[in-house]
Amino acid sequence: MTNQATIDKLIEMRLTTMADAFRSQTMDPSMKGIPFEDRFGLLVDVEYSSRKNNRLKRLIHNAEFDQPSASIADIDYSSEYSCAMKSHFRKSGNQMSGKWKSSCASLLA
């Protein structure tokens, strides 16, 4: 079986990312020295990651979040923000109880 026939079959089976990775491997001379099992593992990893990422994107899109591109990494933990929160709690006179009060007490001090 030729490489093109293999690529066509991968595409037909809807393994397009794996087909692209296989095409890249066949054109890369440094891949010739890598054992078959390792090359195959790389192909599977690429396809698996692609499917997981696509699933996550689909779930986020279907969830219809107000800010679907929001990220935990984008949270601003600067002291200016925490000071604003401290003054908000002090001005509003919010009453907290239980574990929430004890865990927030150290943040507001």
Side-chain angles (χ1 to χ4, degrees):
M1 181 184 313
T2 65
N3 287 340
Q4 188 56 44
T6 302
I7 291 170
D8 292 341
K9 288 178 182 179
L10 288 171
I11 291 170
E12 186 178 333
M13 292 187 298
R14 299 182 183 201
L15 299 170
T16 54
T17 306
M18 187 182 280
D20 292 338
F22 179 66
R23 187 179 296 120
S24 296
Q25 280 188 4
T26 58
M27 293 180 182
D28 187 1
S30 66
M31 286 290 183
K32 301 285 185 205
I34 298 176
F36 171 77
E37 292 83 7
D38 293 340
R39 288 180 61 190
F40 185 67
L42 291 171
L43 293 172
V44 171
D45 287 343
V46 167
E47 183 67 32
Y48 180 80
S49 296
S50 174
R51 287 176 180 255
K52 285 298 216 178
N53 288 335
N54 289 340
R55 179 177 182 267
L56 182 60
K57 287 177 187 175
R58 186 183 72 250
L59 290 172
I60 289 172
H61 177 73
N62 291 342
E64 298 178 359
F65 290 129
D66 291 337
Q67 298 176 352
S69 62
S71 171
I72 292 176
D74 294 337
I75 296 174
D76 182 15
Y77 292 105
S78 67
S79 60
E80 181 180 315
Y81 176 75
S82 63
C83 290
M85 290 302 292
K86 288 179 191 176
S87 63
H88 168 74
F89 279 110
R90 288 184 183 137
K91 287 179 185 175
S92 64
N94 286 345
Q95 297 295 319
M96 297 179 286
S97 62
K99 290 182 180 178
W100 177 253
K101 185 176 182 178
S102 61
S103 63
C104 288
S106 62
L107 294 173
L108 298 175

